[in-house]
C-alpha cells in the first residue's frame, strides 16, 4: 500500500517514531514542502491508500476527498481536526484516525509571546545585532492583570505561570463556573466585556466552534486598553482578522502575539508579517519534540491497527 506523509516541514517524520513494523506492508513517501496548488497535491497522492497529515496544514474537504478514490485511511495528528470533512470521508468509506498529543508546547509559546512583547525582545535583539543598544522600556508583568478566555488544560497552565509572575489572573468562557475558577485560584469575570476592559494581557485558549468563531471583533477590541496585548495561540477565526488589523494599525491595542492564521503558510505580503506591534510565529505552539514523538508514535499505531482490520482512535463527526 502506498502511504504519503504530508507537510513534514522539519523532515523528521521518519525519525520521530519507529516505522519498521510497517515497512513490509506500505511504501512511504514523505513530502517536506506544502502543496499550495491542489492539482499538484492530487497528482502526488492520488494513488495512495493511506495519507498522514500534520494538524490543519493541508485541509481535506469534500472536494479534495472526492478526487482521491484510492484513499482508505486518513491519519491526522491530534484528537480533532476541523479541516477534515468527516462526513464526506464517511460517505466515501474513508477511515479517519487521530492521535494523542504530548508536551506543553502551546503553554510555553504563549509565555514566549507575552514576554517577547512585554520586553520588546525582537527590537532589542535587532539593536544588539546591528551595533546598537537600549532603545525601549519594558512592560512589568508583576501586579498586572492577565485575562484568559478559556480555562481548560492550557488556560489553567498559563494561569499558574501568570500567578508565579505575581499577576492577578481573571478568566471567562461561556461554560466556566465559579467553582472551577476558584479551584485554579483565578477570578471569574462576570462577562467577556469585564475581562477585556480590565486586563493588561488577554490570552485566548478556546476551542474553535460555532460559539467561539468571531468571538473577538471590532467591538470587543475597542473595549481593551490601549496599553494591552492580545495573545492568540488557539485558532485564528476566534478573532476577526480585519478588526484586529485595524486595532493594531490604529493603536486601539498596544500589540498582539499571534501563532495562528486563517491562511497558512502566511502569504508573503500579509500585513501580519510587517506590522511593528505584532510578534508573529508560524503556528509552532505544538511543534516540540515531545509533541512530535507522541504524534508520530500514534500515527504508526493507527496504521498498524488499520492493517490488522481493527482501527483505533477513529474520529467521527
Amino acid at each position: 500500500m502506498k502511504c504519503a506523509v504530508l507537510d513534514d516541514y522539519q523532515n523528521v517524520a521518519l525519525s520521530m517514531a519507529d516505522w519498521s513494523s510497517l515497512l513490509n506492508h506500505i511504501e512511504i513517501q514523505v513530502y517536506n514542502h506544502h502543496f499550495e496548488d491542489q492539482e499538484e497535491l492530487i497528482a502526488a497522492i492520488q494513488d495512495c491508500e493511506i495519507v498522514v497529515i500534520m494538524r490543519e496544514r493541508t485541509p481535506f474537504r469534500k472536494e479534495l476527498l472526492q478526487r482521491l478514490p484510492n484513499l482508505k485511511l486518513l491519519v491526522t495528528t491530534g484528537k480533532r481536526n476541523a479541516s477534515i470533512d468527516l462526513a464526506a470521508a464517511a460517505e466515501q468509506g474513508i477511515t479517519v484516525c487521530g492521535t494523542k498529543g504530548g508536551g506543553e508546547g502551546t503553554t510555553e509559546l504563549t509565555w514566549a509571546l507575552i514576554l517577547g512583547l512585554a520586553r520588546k525582545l525582537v527590537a532589542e535583539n535587532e539593536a544588539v545585532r546591528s551595533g546598537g543598544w537600549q532603545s525601549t522600556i519594558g512592560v512589568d508583568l508583576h501586579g498586572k492583570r492577565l485575562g484568559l478566555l478559556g480555562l481548560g488544560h492550557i488556560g489553567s497552565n498559563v494561569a499558574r505561570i501568570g500567578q508565579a509572575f505575581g499577576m492577578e489572573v481573571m478568566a471567562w468562557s461561556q461554560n466556566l463556573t465559579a467553582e472551577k475558577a476558584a479551584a485554579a485560584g483565578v477570578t471569574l469575570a462576570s462577562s467577556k466585556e469585564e475581562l477585556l476592559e480590565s486586563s493588561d494581557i488577554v490570552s485566548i485558549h478556546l476551542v474553535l466552534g460555532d460559539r467561539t468563531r468571531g468571538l473577538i471583533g471590532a467591538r470587543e477590541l475597542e473595549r481593551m486598553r490601549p496599553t494591552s496585548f492580545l495573545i492568540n495561540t488557539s485558532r485564528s477565526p476566534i478573532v476577526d482578522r480585519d478588526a484586529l488589523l485595524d486595532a493594531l494599525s490604529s493603536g486601539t491595542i498596544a500589540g498582539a502575539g499571534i501563532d495562528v492564521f486563517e491562511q497558512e503558510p502566511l502569504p508573503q505580503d500579509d500585513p501580519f508579517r510587517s506590522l511593528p506591534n505584532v510578534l508573529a510565529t508560524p503556528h509552532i505552539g505544538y511543534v516540540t519534540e515531545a509533541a512530535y514523538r507522541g504524534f508520530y508514535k500514534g500515527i504508526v499505531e493507527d496504521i498498524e491497527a488499520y492493517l490488522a482490520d481493527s482501527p483505533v482512535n477513529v474520529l467521527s463527526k
Side-chain angles (χ1 to χ4, degrees):
M1 299 180 74
K2 292 185 177 181
C3 171
V5 179
L6 299 183
D7 297 310
D8 180 19
Y9 296 162
Q10 294 87 7
N11 194 24
V12 295
L14 298 183
S15 63
M16 284 287 179
D18 182 1
W19 296 73
S20 59
S21 63
L22 300 175
L23 297 183
N24 291 330
H25 306 284
I26 64 174
E27 174 187 332
I28 304 172
Q29 175 65 55
V30 179
Y31 294 95
N32 304 130
H33 66 283
H34 178 69
F35 286 98
E36 295 284 354
D37 184 87
Q38 183 165 284
E39 295 303 319
E40 292 182 6
L41 171 64
I42 292 169
I45 66 173
Q46 60 186 353
D47 294 332
C48 294
E49 291 94 344
I50 302 171
V51 173
V52 173
I53 61 176
M54 174 61 74
R55 308 303 296 135
E56 293 92 1
R57 290 177 183 174
T58 297
F60 273 70
R61 306 297 188 193
K62 184 174 184 177
E63 177 188 356
L64 174 59
L65 291 169
Q66 288 178 333
R67 298 185 62 184
L68 300 173
N70 294 308
L71 182 59
K72 302 302 179 185
L73 174 65
L74 180 62
V75 184
T76 177
T77 55
K79 298 179 180 179
R80 63 170 68 92
N81 189 327
S83 72
I84 299 174
D85 188 331
L86 293 174
E91 289 176 7
Q92 288 185 222
I94 299 169
T95 301
V96 182
C97 296
T99 70
K100 296 179 181 178
E104 299 296 343
T106 302
T107 297
E108 294 166 4
L109 182 69
T110 296
W111 278 101
L113 293 173
I114 292 172
L115 291 167
L117 284 169
R119 299 308 299 268
K120 315 292 194 301
L121 292 186
V122 173
E124 295 295 2
N125 178 255
E126 290 177 351
V128 171
R129 288 179 177 274
S130 62
W133 206 238
Q134 295 180 14
S135 60
T136 68
I137 298 176
V139 174
D140 298 283
L141 297 180
H142 185 86
K144 297 293 197 305
R145 173 172 284 181
L146 171 64
L148 301 176
L149 290 170
L151 196 65
H153 176 72
I154 295 175
S156 296
N157 287 341
V158 171
R160 283 194 290 272
I161 297 171
Q163 291 159 348
F165 274 112
M167 302 186 75
E168 177 192 351
V169 184
M170 173 179 280
W172 177 89
S173 73
Q174 291 163 323
N175 296 324
L176 183 59
T177 63
E179 291 76 17
K180 183 173 182 180
V186 171
T187 301
L188 175 64
S190 62
S191 64
K192 174 180 64 176
E193 289 73 22
E194 182 195 8
L195 183 139
L196 295 171
E197 291 169 356
S198 64
S199 297
D200 299 288
I201 296 169
V202 175
S203 191
I204 300 170
H205 304 288
L206 296 165
V207 174
L208 178 63
D210 293 339
R211 294 197 302 175
T212 59
R213 187 179 300 273
L215 185 72
I216 303 298
R219 292 174 58 186
E220 286 76 19
L221 291 165
E222 288 170 1
R223 288 181 177 272
M224 291 178 63
R225 299 175 176 182
T227 55
S228 64
F229 297 125
L230 178 69
I231 311 295
N232 190 1
T233 56
S234 183
R235 288 294 181 268
S236 179
I238 294 173
V239 182
D240 182 281
R241 170 188 163 87
D242 292 337
L244 179 57
L245 286 171
D246 288 343
L248 291 165
S249 299
S250 65
T252 300
I253 63 174
I258 311 172
D259 186 49
V260 287
F261 305 91
E262 291 190 23
Q263 182 178 345
E264 296 180 2
L266 201 60
Q268 291 295 317
D269 60 350
D270 194 284
F272 281 125
R273 287 186 180 269
S274 57
L275 278 169
N277 54 350
V278 170
L279 179 52
T281 50
H283 204 158
I284 58 172
Y286 64 94
V287 183
T288 69
E289 183 174 346
Y292 267 42
R293 290 196 183 281
F295 285 156
Y296 284 113
K297 181 176 183 290
I299 287 167
V300 171
E301 292 171 350
D302 284 352
I303 297 174
E304 287 175 338
Y306 178 80
L307 294 177
D309 294 322
S310 300
V312 296
N313 302 315
V314 177
L315 305 184
S316 59
K317 187 170 177 62

